[in-house]
Amino acid sequence: PLSTPSTPPKSNTTDKYAFAFDIDGVLIRGGRPIPEAIEAMKVLNGQNVYGVKIPYIFVTNGGGKTEQERCIQLSKQMEIEVSPGQFICGHTPMREMAAKYGTVLVVGGEGEKCRQVAEGYGFKDVVTPGDIIKDNPDTTPFRKLTKEEYDSSRARDFSKTEIEAIFVFADSRDWAGDQQIILDLLLSKRGVLGTRSETFDDGPPVFFSHNDVVWSASHDLTRLGMGALRLSLEAMYKAVTGKELNTTAYGKPQIGTFQFATRLLQQWRKDTHGIDAPPETVYFVGDTPESDIRGTNDFNKTSENTWYSILVRTGVYEQGTKPKFEPKFTADHVLEAVLHGVEREQR
Ligand code: G3P
Ligand code: MG
């Protein structure tokens, strides 16, 4: 041949390592970016002394909106382009449950958003607490639907509906009302509202998208999260029935979430960077020892890849205390965490 085929220019994206980030308390606080986070994203995108680009994904326990919507928001906040292909929130793995259940109750979040998320996952028949209150306002003596809620809620005859499972997708905006409705279902005969089981053991299962008792929002001190609702519900159930309530939580620190994240990262590296082998190291940067550090460390024990935990001081973890779960490294903020990983790789 007259000419040899030209080889594509060598990419300066590293195939050796990658980053995964928690969001609240690491990149964002109360809807506002943590300034060092924007700088950290620049470092990942090649603005570092080595000129190397580093693949990354996001793994948050938060939720309440579609992945698409959350990515648009995060893109603006971090001044980068974030794709749903590199993003997992607490309820993302719940989509695998869509085929298993018929009618489900979805709890939490703003307005109709979580219903839309669940329907987007393929859940066939999604009921919200608003639907139940619209059908029977006596359900929640102290909660009245606003006009907007009333208009968007879908009333039906719940005495003829079997609710097969309960999913808490995002933080409840009305603990009293939502807990009343969940409790009614747990005490019912096979999820039919208005009935009472004699044994209290044929109610629907309850799934939470995560188990964070506290999280880092705009207030200086941590705020109650979904894990607190879970504790409250379990205590209430025990007080009413004398029995233990077993519920299931998704999200970090569950191993399943890290397995899901590993698959996502693999696909992301392949599709976007043409890398078809697992990274040697995944640096996970989080602020909550109980979720982020615990999960990373536990997963590291089971996986062939090395997940490396980094704890930052910008969120739930309080400076000066000993974290319940020991990270491999502690940084003041996410920029220091990223630079630590990059330097460690160049050694
Ligand atoms: O509700 C969200 C919160 O509990 C944690 O979010 O990003 O810190 O995992 P994140
Ligand atoms: Mg966090």
Side-chain angles (χ1 to χ4, degrees), residues 22 24-25 287-288 292:
D22 173 69
D24 290 308
D287 69 307
T288 307
D292 303 318

mmCIF file of all heavy atoms in Angstrom, residues 22 24-25 287-288 292, ligand 2:
data_model
loop_
_atom_site.group_PDB
_atom_site.id
_atom_site.type_symbol
_atom_site.label_atom_id
_atom_site.label_comp_id
_atom_site.label_asym_id
_atom_site.label_seq_id
_atom_site.Cartn_x
_atom_site.Cartn_y
_atom_site.Cartn_z
ATOM 1 N N ASP A 22 -19.718 11.843 45.796
ATOM 2 C CA ASP A 22 -20.944 12.113 46.496
ATOM 3 C C ASP A 22 -21.322 13.567 46.140
ATOM 4 O O ASP A 22 -20.452 14.325 45.694
ATOM 5 C CB ASP A 22 -20.627 11.969 47.993
ATOM 6 C CG ASP A 22 -21.748 12.386 48.879
ATOM 7 O OD1 ASP A 22 -22.757 11.685 48.881
ATOM 8 O OD2 ASP A 22 -21.619 13.420 49.564
ATOM 9 N N ASP A 24 -24.142 15.966 47.967
ATOM 10 C CA ASP A 24 -24.420 16.884 49.093
ATOM 11 C C ASP A 24 -23.295 16.824 50.123
ATOM 12 O O ASP A 24 -22.927 15.758 50.599
ATOM 13 C CB ASP A 24 -25.755 16.518 49.762
ATOM 14 C CG ASP A 24 -26.929 16.841 48.854
ATOM 15 O OD1 ASP A 24 -27.002 17.979 48.381
ATOM 16 O OD2 ASP A 24 -27.753 15.946 48.605
ATOM 17 N N GLY A 25 -22.772 17.979 50.459
ATOM 18 C CA GLY A 25 -21.688 18.048 51.449
ATOM 19 C C GLY A 25 -20.314 17.885 50.824
ATOM 20 O O GLY A 25 -19.299 18.017 51.513
ATOM 21 N N ASP A 287 -18.718 12.798 52.224
ATOM 22 C CA ASP A 287 -18.688 13.569 53.484
ATOM 23 C C ASP A 287 -19.332 12.822 54.646
ATOM 24 O O ASP A 287 -19.265 13.277 55.776
ATOM 25 C CB ASP A 287 -19.415 14.913 53.303
ATOM 26 C CG ASP A 287 -20.912 14.723 53.125
ATOM 27 O OD1 ASP A 287 -21.305 13.929 52.235
ATOM 28 O OD2 ASP A 287 -21.695 15.330 53.869
ATOM 29 N N THR A 288 -19.988 11.688 54.358
ATOM 30 C CA THR A 288 -20.736 10.993 55.413
ATOM 31 C C THR A 288 -20.073 9.648 55.717
ATOM 32 O O THR A 288 -20.166 8.719 54.910
ATOM 33 C CB THR A 288 -22.208 10.779 54.974
ATOM 34 O OG1 THR A 288 -22.744 12.036 54.587
ATOM 35 C CG2 THR A 288 -23.052 10.179 56.089
ATOM 36 N N ASP A 292 -20.786 6.970 52.887
ATOM 37 C CA ASP A 292 -19.774 7.052 51.831
ATOM 38 C C ASP A 292 -18.524 6.229 52.171
ATOM 39 O O ASP A 292 -18.044 5.454 51.339
ATOM 40 C CB ASP A 292 -19.372 8.517 51.615
ATOM 41 C CG ASP A 292 -20.578 9.380 51.271
ATOM 42 O OD1 ASP A 292 -21.414 8.915 50.484
ATOM 43 O OD2 ASP A 292 -20.682 10.503 51.795
HETATM 44 MG MG MG B 2 -22.979 13.674 51.117
#
